[in-house]
């Protein structure tokens, strides 16, 4: 395919989630503009309320980048034929996703229960992993697809006994009297990964776009994790942006394993564990028909890792973990 | 040269004219879809018609791996059941309240402003309260449909009943009718054709509320499927489902129109000059 | 017996006096024609007798008992329009009158009671000449046929008093003549008291045994609402030759002056 | 004992009757809210009225730290701007297409079935396509409102225009009117009061579509705020916002009714007998 | 000049023959009354002359030129109802006729052209006696006043032919007499050809210079749609005493037999 004219203006979409709040904060405080100016480009950071819609918009070309989890990156853009590069691995969920029940005390108690969750999302994956660990399968429970926006209200309803969800909804649900947390993502560390992914072609044609994004991210990280007033102010702002306050935000942050420095993120990206995780994820995705009807088996879509490793079809690589931009950041040569 | 207003197409031309815009849209779709495919062979937004046909075939004839049902039909059955219960309940509420408000000045004085206010509340915004009150099961979906369309039905029927000529109401009283008899034999039958017309107008909104309800919490249904597969942008499922919903709504509309004309022929005669 | 007595009745809508100081005795079995300019309160007068409206002052009695303030089966009515039920066919339109009486809960009759009622209804329908149209809906009837039906309906309850508000106003002259030929024998046979409002003087004189003319005897151009209408003529038409009155053949608008000169002859 | 149908409340009773159901509902709310609080002091679902008042005060008077705007007012301004542009566009489309379809048999033959079909498509189900086609900016929100209500407006106005007595159309032609002049001087003015009535009926759906659009992509607006705080079940914000939306809709409804009666008095006179 | 020639015109709706083989010459300046039973095709005949409908066979010419198949300003019309624009006041209702002609794009006039048009419109409104009501909307007018307005409107374009379809059918007898007194001099002054459909024989004879009666000369009870109406009488009323015709004074329904006996005297 012919190389396109280098672009000047880019846009990325974000949705409200603790691991992605640095993006709007960076846009508000001028960090985005600072780095964009440095590379002579313009970057628009746009909020979308509906998470799935933001990824759909990215997939159909409405955005050059989007904040999404590893699993959704595989099942929506990659399965939709849009070659996507995971540019920044920001964090993984370390308690931000969980299963909460009013009736069951252990995962084994869930047999025969109906469970409310956003079907085909990371919650679904989390449940599958939890059931797996307890020797149950999805057939043993009834899954009721429930919109994330209504999850908290749904849990208040007397007919709802168990939900699988993420923060901040998770915290709200856990606060309900009589509810118990059965399982959370601390038990599958590193499997639910929050990333910024961009269109591979756009990145190839415009490496400056990637560099600017990496620059923005790690500068914002340093502000966010600042132990003093500066960090507190940043976290307050992010909390308010997501509809809560400093305390609420800090709770969510505590359940998030942030890769504060590029070095940590690079190490995670290059580790063998990531390949294992992605194999679990693609197996789950294939089993649930998420790789599309055209996919004959779970190898249909190739996933590339740093160092040329490919999981699945090497001819059809659509999802790429790329540590190079984070590496440049680690080297301080942005 | 005749005025445009005086040009009446013949029946052949008419059929052509009806088909033309549909064919144009279909043609446009095929072209744009092909273009997008050329740019990205994996494009999901506007799948070619063959692909949609294949998806429909699969959904309509192959049992689902998890439940063993034929997806399209079980979704349709689930949705239609909710829709009909919702429409039926709303129609019953519309009739009872519409007749009461239209007929009794005292009821109208007390309740009309309340219903006017209620009809303005966007139901989607108070979902949490509905969940607590009606749970998250089938009931809440039906309730959302009812809440969505009943205020309109009530107001429309109350207006229709209030528009029954005063002369008839007086006449019935001189024939000895009690309020109840008047309601039963004079107001109710005259409200029926209007109820069907109002239901026809409500079909679109009813489907809308149903789909929204199914998007919020469900295990099956047309809206459920659409929002589920939206997670991986499976437009090859969404578009046929939308077409199917549209077709269903169109068929019900047509059926209701026929039922009304069959059952209430007196309501469809031009007033004699 | 059905003597109507109207004692010093006034009707006001807010500031506007529509009728003032109407007093009158209507004998049982009379056929009273009421005429008067548009908007003078003829229909209002009828509505008061019907019980649809309550006079602001005064009292109306039927056979010595104050009229209930709502319509009832002892007073039948035929309006100019909208007087029959469009959703019932001719037979049902009359039948419903019996059903209201005999079936309080469902207002529907079944079995032998229904057959009896249908028979009575059929007889009435034959009497007004709609025998062959019993299964038609009102929309399939001509204006004249609809008014016949309304009359049959009203007669079903055997009312003591029959009130007609321009019953033939919307009919063409030929049909109107037929209706006159229909109503007169019916009235005679049943011995009802009939009160009919009409704009057609020929009709008023031709059918009535008594003629009442309503009009404002006095008007203040600055405050037209301050004076209501009264009965300015009250003629007994049952005598062989009622005295013809000046001005009645002129168009309605120019009548006021004629009234003015004869005002003192007012109601008895 | 008079029939219930004949009992007409006086004006004093009437005011009482109007207030009664509202007071009952308010009372019920206070009681249930207090009960829930007693059972669970952290209950968020039905906050006491004082708490809601405090939230409203905060949203209406304290500037937001990020934007410096007063949240309630900037949300209202953003939503109303979208609503008005949407209603205006839909009204314009409704007028243009309604007049054309109602007046020209040839246009009606070609487009009426298409519009009937389009009006049955649930807009929420094709959101992804709408967002792709119209972007995620202000445009797409306005477009959702337009798509949601324009088909109804078009059909309603086309029906109203087609119901103009044939005699008037003929008469205008004998007075020398061209099709365009007929449209401008005969059909358009007679369609206007109907347009306003149809807009009144569309206010509820318009708010509904606006809120749905704002829930998916927006950075301010009444629907956005409700969506944002819904994940924390902040009913102390949601309920006042819902009440505010209802009040706004009610006010617009009332204003439109007044405008119609002021501007088109001829349309509101009973036909003379 | 405005001679209308109707050459062997047929009108069929699907299978139903409504009018058959109508041929006729209407002299310039004639006042033609048309009578006939309901549904016989009188309005259809008028609609054909108006250009609203096209005959299935035959041709109609005005001054030798085939009529265009759509209404136009040379043929004015007044219907029984709905003939004025409810959203325009009396003055605007007449003014709009001038605006259509003089302002193709906006159909609105301004400045001196408007003043000139208003003057002409006012004159017409005065002529039909609505001078003091110029600012009222039609809904505030009585039925008779509305029909006057419709006439003023129709006259604005100075049509060669004025078509009236039961123009006074909805009016009460008094108003109807006033309208007769209005229309006759207007017709004489302007020298128009007037064709008026009416159900009122007195009106037909009183106003017309020529009377046409339409009816089916023949009916097959098994297939009533196979025979259309023709002109069964064509009387010249301008002669001093038109021969009175048998049966005309009877009610319309019972007329058929009378027609039957005189069918052979059909149109000239
Ligand atoms: N409900 C009402 N409220 C206020 N005014 C009323 C009401 N009903 C009637 N009127 C007024 O009372 C007067 C008499 O009306 P009514 O209908 O009795 O006249 P009418 O003699 O029957 O006239 P018409 O011959 O036109 O039928 C009119 O001026 C009318 O405006
Ligand atoms: N558009 C139409 N399609 C089919 N039949 C029609 C149509 N217009 C009129 N007819 C039929 O043609 C016949 C003549 O109708 P028309 O209106 O001319 O009668 P008319 O003599 O004016 O009657 P009336 O005195 O009731 O006005 C009627 O039988 C009518 O049903
Ligand atoms: Mg009256
Ligand atoms: Mg006719």
């Amino acid at each position: 395919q012919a190389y396109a004219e280098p672009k000047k203006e880019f846009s990325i979409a974000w949705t409200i989630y603790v691991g992605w709040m640095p993006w709007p904060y960076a846009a508000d405080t001028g960090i985005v503009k600072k780095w964009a100016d440095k590379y002579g480009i313009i970057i628009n950071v746009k909020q979308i309320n509906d998470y799935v819609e933001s990824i759909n918009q990215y997939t159909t070309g409405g955005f050059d980048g989007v904040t999404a989890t590893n699993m959704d990156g595989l099942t929506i853009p990659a399965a939709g034929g849009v070659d996507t590069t995971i540019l920044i691995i920001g964090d993984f969920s370390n308690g931000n996703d969980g299963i909460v029940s009013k009736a069951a005390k252990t995962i084994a108690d869930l047999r025969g229960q109906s469970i409310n969750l956003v079907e085909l999302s990371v919650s679904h994956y989390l449940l599958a992993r939890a059931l797996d660990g307890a020797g149950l399968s999805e057939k043993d429970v009834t899954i009721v697809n429930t919109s994330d926006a209504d999850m908290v209200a749904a849990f208040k309803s007397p007919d709802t006994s168990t939900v699988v969800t993420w923060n901040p909804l998770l915290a709200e649900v856990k606060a309900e009297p009589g509810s118990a947390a059965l399982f959370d993502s601390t038990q599958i560390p590193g499997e639910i990964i929050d990333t910024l992914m961009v269109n591979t072609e756009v990145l190839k044609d415009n490496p400056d776009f990637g560099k600017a994004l990496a620059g923005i991210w790690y500068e914002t990280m340093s502000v966010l994790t600042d132990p003093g007033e500066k960090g507190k102010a940043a976290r307050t702002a992010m909390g308010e942006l997501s509809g809560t306050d400093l305390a609420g935000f800090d709770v969510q942050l505590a359940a998030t394993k942030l890769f504060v420095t590029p070095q940590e993120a690079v190490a995670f990206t290059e580790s063998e564990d990531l390949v294992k995780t992605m194999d679990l994820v693609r197996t789950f995705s294939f089993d649930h028909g998420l790789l599309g009807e055209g996919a004959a088996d779970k190898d249909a879509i190739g996933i590339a890792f740093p160092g040329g490793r490919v999981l699945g079809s090497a001819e059809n690589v659509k999802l790429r973990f790329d540590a190079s931009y984070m590496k440049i950041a680690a080297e301080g040569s942005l | 040269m005749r005025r445009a207003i005086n040009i009446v197409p013949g029946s052949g031309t008419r059929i052509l004219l009806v088909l033309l815009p549909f064919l144009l849209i279909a043609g446009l779709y095929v072209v744009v879809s092909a273009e997008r495919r050329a740019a990205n062979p994996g494009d999901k937004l506007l799948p070619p018609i063959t692909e949609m046909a294949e998806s429909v075939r699969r959904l309509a004839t192959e049992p689902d791996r998890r439940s063993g049902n034929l997806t399209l039909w079980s979704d349709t059955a689930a949705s239609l059941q909710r829709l009909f219960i919702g429409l039926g309940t709303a129609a019953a509420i519309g009739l009872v309240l519409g007749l009461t408000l239209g007929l009794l000045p005292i009821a109208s004085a007390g309740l009309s402003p309340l219903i006017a206010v209620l009809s303005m509340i966007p139901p989607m915004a108070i979902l949490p309260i509905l969940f607590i009150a009606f749970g998250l099961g089938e009931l809440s979906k039906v309730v959302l449909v009812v809440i969505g369309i009943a205020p309109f039905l009530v107001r429309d029927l109350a207006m229709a009943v209030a528009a029954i000529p005063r002369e008839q109401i007086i006449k019935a009283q001189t024939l000895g009718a009690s309020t109840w008899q008047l309601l039963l034999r004079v107001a109710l039958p005259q409200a029926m054709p209007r109820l069907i017309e109002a239901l026809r107008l409500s079909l679109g909104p009813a489907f809308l509320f149903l789909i929204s309800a199914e998007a919020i919490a469900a295990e099956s249904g047309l809206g459920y499927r659409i929002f589920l597969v939206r997670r991986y942008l499976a437009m090859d499922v969404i578009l046929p489902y939308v077409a199917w919903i549209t077709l269903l709504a169109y068929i019900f509309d047509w059926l209701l129109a026929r039922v009304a004309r069959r059952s209430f022929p007196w309501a469809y005669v031009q007033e004699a000059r | 017996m059905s003597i109507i007595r109207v004692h010093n009745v006034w009707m006001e809508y807010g500031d506007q006096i529509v009728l003032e100081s109407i007093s009158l005795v209507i004998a049982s079995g009379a056929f009273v024609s009421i005429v008067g300019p548009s908007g003078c309160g003829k229909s209002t007068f009828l509505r008061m007798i019907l019980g649809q409206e309550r006079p602001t002052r005064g009292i109306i009695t039927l056979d010595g008992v104050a009229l209930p303030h709502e319509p009832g089966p002892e007073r039948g009515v035929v309006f100019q329009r909208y007087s029959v039920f469009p959703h019932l066919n001719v037979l049902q339109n009359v039948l419903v009158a019996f059903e209201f009486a005999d079936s309080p809960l469902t207002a529907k009759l079944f079995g032998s009671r229904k057959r009896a009622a249908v028979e009575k209804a059929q007889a009435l329908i034959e009497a007004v000449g709609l025998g062959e149209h019993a299964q038609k809906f009102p929309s399939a009837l001509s204006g004249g046929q609809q008014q016949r039906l309304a009359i049959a309906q009203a007669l079903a309850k055997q009312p003591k008093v029959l009130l007609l508000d321009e019953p033939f106003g919307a009919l063409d002259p030929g049909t109107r003549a037929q209706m006159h030929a229909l109503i007169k024998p019916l009235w005679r046979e049943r011995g009802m008291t009939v009160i009919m409002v009409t704009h057609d003087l020929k009709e008023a004189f031709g059918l009535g045994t008594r003629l009442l003319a309503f009009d404002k005897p006095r008007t203040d151009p600055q405050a037209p609402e301050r004076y209501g209408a009264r009965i300015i003529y009250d003629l007994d038409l049952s005598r062989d030759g009622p005295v013809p009155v000046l001005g009645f053949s002129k168009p309605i608008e120019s009548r006021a002056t004629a009234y003015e000169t004869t005002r003192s002859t007012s109601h008895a």
Side-chain angles (χ1 to χ4, degrees), chain C residues 13 16 18 36-45 47 53 166 199:
Chain C
Y13 290 112
Q16 188 194 358
V18 174
S38 190
C40 75
K42 304 180 298 296
S43 298
T44 304
F45 181 70
R47 282 201 296 272
E53 274 175 273
E166 304 185 36
H199 269 294

Side-chain angles (χ1 to χ4, degrees), chain A residues 16 28 49-50 57 60 150 152 156 169 172 240-242:
Chain A
I16 295 178
D28 281 354
N49 296 325
D50 189 278
Q57 290 293 319
T60 54
D150 298 299
V152 182
K156 296 240 172 205
L169 316 168
E172 294 291 329
E240 277 174 0
L241 260 177
S242 55

Side-chain angles (χ1 to χ4, degrees), chain C residues 188-201:
Chain C
R188 271 198 229 283
E189 281 162 30
R190 309 215 162 204
M192 302 172 290
T193 306
V194 176
I195 306 179
M196 176 179 74
V197 170
T198 176
H199 269 294
D200 183 341
L201 289 177

Side-chain angles (χ1 to χ4, degrees), chain B residues 134-185:
Chain B
F134 303 104
L136 214 62
E138 290 300 296
L139 185 60
S140 65
K141 287 161 207 112
V142 170
V143 164
L144 193 63
V145 173
V146 172
I147 287 187
I149 64 174
F152 165 72
L153 290 179
V154 171
R155 293 178 86 184
D156 201 58
L157 283 177
M159 253 165 59
V161 171
I164 293 178
R166 192 84 202 129
E167 283 92 339
Q168 280 185 38
I169 310 289
I170 300 293
K171 180 79 180 217
Q173 294 186 59
T174 66
L175 299 181
S178 66
T179 296
W180 165 248
Q181 288 179 323
L182 226 160
L183 190 147
L184 202 65
R185 294 294 313 268

Side-chain angles (χ1 to χ4, degrees), chain A residues 96-150:
Chain A
N96 257 333
D97 296 78
I99 304 174
V100 178
S101 180
K102 290 189 279 194
K105 294 285 170 242
T106 67
I107 293 293
D109 294 346
L110 288 180
R111 185 188 293 275
Q113 296 264 7
S114 98
I115 299 171
N116 294 67
L117 51 80
V118 180
E119 225 175 314
L120 309 183
S121 71
V122 289
S123 297
H124 199 165
Y125 174 79
L126 181 80
L127 177 70
R129 296 280 287 129
L131 292 174
D132 230 13
L136 295 176
S137 84
E138 264 185 64
K139 288 207 168 56
D140 300 319
V141 297
T142 309
I143 288 171
V144 181
N145 185 34
T146 304
S147 120
D148 51 339
D150 298 299

